[in-house]
């Protein structure tokens, strides 16, 4: 990616939200290898500090609760003031609380919609003008197969991710005649603490129908998005074909559900055994 900075030796700059998570760490390692100055944003300074241990460079941290609009605005102002020549934005922060919709609290609703949909829109709104001024940049958002296939007990997560997919698609069309790249990454289940939480707290068995992907697999897809600006990148690729078929015919998932649930339950048990977790009646 060519930079238009007055200083040709200045490092390219990338912001990763949700910067203390497993996927963020894998992305940070990839960008660090390419010499980026990393900016990490997360609600937990401790988690971000642990990511630094895997890097050669020295990332800069910004503690931000992405359910709080004031803190989001403070993050944006920090970027606008100190890093106006930002090259890459990675909207990585995500959150889910599994369970029936009627069992969710109002706080659960707000938290999932803000982290998964509203905050990436806010942050993009604050940073995109900087990229347009420079004439180039890349915005990559970690969406999810859950943004294409809606699963029972994930209504709020699906609502946020469906909305994020629509936002990215429209933004891609708006910017297609510019040098701003817009990409969405659509992983299936990824080996993260969030997936383990779902496995042990009633998450959908459909997460384990296919092989669980690694954070490094997602990071590779992110790098492709930065370089090529592909609108939708699926991890694994095969899930893109099946998920889009189900998206066109959503009732088809209901017909296949008993079989997929059986396959997914076996896949979850196998994955948990591999992780060294004892289970009963999962």
């Amino acid at each position: 990616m060519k930079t238009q900075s007055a200083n040709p030796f200045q490092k390219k700059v990338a912001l990763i939200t949700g910067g203390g998570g497993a996927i963020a760490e894998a992305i940070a390692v990839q960008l660090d290898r390419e010499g980026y100055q990393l900016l990490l944003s997360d609600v937990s300074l401790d988690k971000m500090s642990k990511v630094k241990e895997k890097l050669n460079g020295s990332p800069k941290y910004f503690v931000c609760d992405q359910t709080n609009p004031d803190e989001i605005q403070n993050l944006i102002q920090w970027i606008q003031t100190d890093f106006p020549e930002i090259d890459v934005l990675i909207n990585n922060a995500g959150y889910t609380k599994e369970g029936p919709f009627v069992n969710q609290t109002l706080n659960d609703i707000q938290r999932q919609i803000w982290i998964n949909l509203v905050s990436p829109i806010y942050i993009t709104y604050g940073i995109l003008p900087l990229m347009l001024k420079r004439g180039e940049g890349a915005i990559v958002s970690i969406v999810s197969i859950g943004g294409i296939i809606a699963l029972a007990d994930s209504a709020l997560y699906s609502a946020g991710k469906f909305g994020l997919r629509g936002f990215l698609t429209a933004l891609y069309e708006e910017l297609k005649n510019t040098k701003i790249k817009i990409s969405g990454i659509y992983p299936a289940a990824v080996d993260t603490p969030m997936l383990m939480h779902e496995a042990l707290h009633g998450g959908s068995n459909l997460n384990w129908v296919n092989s669980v992907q690694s954070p490094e697999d997602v990071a590779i897809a992110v790098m492709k998005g930065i370089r090529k600006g592909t609108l939708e990148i699926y991890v694994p690729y095969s899930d893109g074909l099946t998920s889009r078929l189900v998206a066109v015919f959503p009732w088809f998932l209901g017909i296949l559900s008993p079989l997929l649930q059986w396959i997914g339950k076996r896949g979850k048990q196998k994955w948990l055994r591999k992780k060294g977790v004892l289970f009963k009646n999962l």
Side-chain angles (χ1 to χ4, degrees):
M1 184 184 302
K2 183 179 179 182
T3 178
Q4 295 180 348
S5 169
N7 180 1
F9 301 105
Q10 181 175 326
K11 284 186 174 182
K12 291 180 285 187
V13 177
L15 169 64
I16 307 174
T17 69
I23 292 176
E25 179 182 296
I27 297 169
V29 168
Q30 289 280 349
L31 291 170
D32 182 67
R33 289 173 182 166
E34 298 204 4
Y36 277 80
Q37 171 61 61
L38 295 177
L39 315 177
L40 303 180
S41 168
D42 196 281
V43 72
S44 170
L45 178 59
D46 182 60
K47 288 183 178 180
M48 289 190 287
S49 299
K50 290 179 181 178
V51 171
K52 183 181 184 299
E53 298 173 4
K54 303 294 180 70
L55 307 176
N56 293 317
S58 297
K60 298 184 183 299
Y61 310 128
F62 195 97
V63 176
C64 177
D65 177 355
Q66 288 188 213
T67 68
N68 186 320
D70 291 333
E71 292 193 22
I72 294 171
Q73 189 57 41
N74 289 339
L75 170 64
I76 292 170
Q77 289 178 348
W78 177 57
I79 300 296
Q80 291 174 340
T81 301
D82 292 354
F83 302 97
E85 294 188 345
I86 184 171
D87 297 272
V88 174
L89 166 62
I90 310 293
N91 285 311
N92 169 69
Y95 174 76
T96 184
K97 181 181 178 183
E98 61 287 321
F101 173 66
V102 293
N103 291 348
Q104 306 285 326
T105 66
L106 291 177
N107 183 66
D108 294 332
I109 294 172
Q110 181 185 32
R111 183 170 180 79
Q112 293 192 63
I113 297 301
W114 267 89
I115 293 177
N116 296 325
L117 176 61
V118 179
S119 63
I121 292 176
Y122 269 37
I123 294 169
T124 299
Y125 181 77
I127 290 178
L128 177 58
L130 302 175
M131 294 180 176
L132 288 170
K133 184 176 180 179
R134 292 181 56 243
E136 59 184 349
I139 298 173
V140 181
S141 299
I142 311 300
V143 190
S144 169
I145 288 296
I148 301 176
I149 301 176
L151 301 178
D153 295 335
S154 298
L156 295 171
Y157 183 77
S158 294
K161 295 299 188 177
F162 267 62
L164 184 57
R165 185 190 187 206
F167 170 69
L168 294 173
T169 302
L171 193 61
Y172 178 90
E173 287 299 313
E174 288 183 24
L175 299 173
K176 64 184 179 182
N177 294 321
T178 72
K179 291 185 179 181
I180 311 299
K181 303 182 183 73
I182 302 294
S183 291
I185 311 300
Y186 294 80
V190 182
D191 191 350
T192 64
M194 188 166 74
L195 183 65
M196 179 61 73
H197 179 84
E198 288 193 65
L200 301 178
H201 295 85
S204 174
N205 289 329
L206 299 185
N207 286 315
W208 289 269
V209 169
N210 294 317
S211 298
V212 174
Q213 303 297 297
S214 71
E216 290 72 25
D217 293 326
V218 180
I220 291 170
V222 168
M223 298 307 296
K224 179 180 178 181
I226 293 172
R227 295 187 182 109
K228 297 186 177 182
T230 305
L231 175 58
E232 296 188 346
I233 303 173
Y234 296 88
V235 186
Y237 175 79
S238 59
D239 273 21
L241 303 176
T242 55
S243 62
R244 281 176 286 186
L245 176 63
V246 172
V248 174
F249 304 104
W251 49 265
F252 194 55
L253 182 63
I255 294 174
L256 294 177
S257 183
L259 174 61
L260 295 177
Q261 289 284 350
W262 181 80
I263 294 172
K265 183 176 181 179
R266 287 173 60 89
K268 178 168 69 173
Q269 292 172 345
K270 180 179 179 181
W271 182 73
L272 285 171
R273 282 194 296 267
K274 184 178 178 181
K275 302 293 288 186
V277 176
L278 297 177
F279 58 88
K280 182 178 180 181
N281 297 326
L282 290 175

